[in-house]
Amino acid sequence: MSTNRIFEPALDRVLVRPIVETESKGGVILPKIDREKAKKSRSLPTQFGEVLAVGPGPRLEDGSHCPMKVKVGDTIAWCCAVELAINYNDEELVVIDENALLGVVREA
């Protein structure tokens, strides 16, 4: 696949680069997770990541799109069970429906 291609999520989907264990600017520890263990667990862990691309938003009855609540560059949280892992440009990324996100991490 050419590196000149751009992945554009469809409708209300969000392309995300998961954050590997690190500390956020605000000092919050963002844990690395074991995805296989998470899928077998009853208590599914929260994952954090950076939004790389967003779709145009869900289509409304009149054919227009409802604006997305997240934007490129946002740090978001989601439950691992709702992600779809993809390999794009030799990088492990995930695609998530916006309505499945738990929230956006913002600086206070």
Side-chain angles (χ1 to χ4, degrees):
M1 181 181 296
S2 169
T3 56
N4 294 336
R5 294 184 179 184
I6 297 172
F7 184 91
E8 294 180 1
L11 299 175
D12 68 337
R13 290 179 181 84
V14 180
L15 179 67
V16 182
R17 176 183 294 127
I19 296 175
V20 179
E21 187 173 329
T22 187
E23 187 171 322
S24 74
K25 292 178 185 175
V28 176
I29 300 298
L30 306 174
K32 181 179 179 182
I33 62 159
D34 179 340
R35 293 180 192 282
E36 290 308 311
K37 184 177 178 182
K39 288 178 183 176
K40 295 175 186 174
S41 171
R42 287 185 171 205
S43 61
L44 296 170
T46 301
Q47 175 69 35
F48 294 86
E50 176 190 1
V51 175
L52 300 178
V54 296
R59 191 173 299 278
L60 302 174
E61 287 184 24
D62 67 2
S64 65
H65 292 277
C66 180
M68 297 286 279
K69 303 283 189 271
V70 296
K71 62 185 183 315
V72 173
D74 281 349
T75 299
I76 58 169
W78 70 94
C79 174
C80 295
V82 299
E83 67 186 35
L84 174 63
I86 66 168
N87 187 311
Y88 182 73
N89 287 338
D90 296 324
E91 186 174 10
E92 290 296 323
L93 304 174
V94 295
V95 176
I96 307 159
D97 289 346
E98 185 185 44
N99 65 358
L101 300 179
L102 298 175
V104 179
V105 179
R106 303 236 192 257
E107 296 297 322

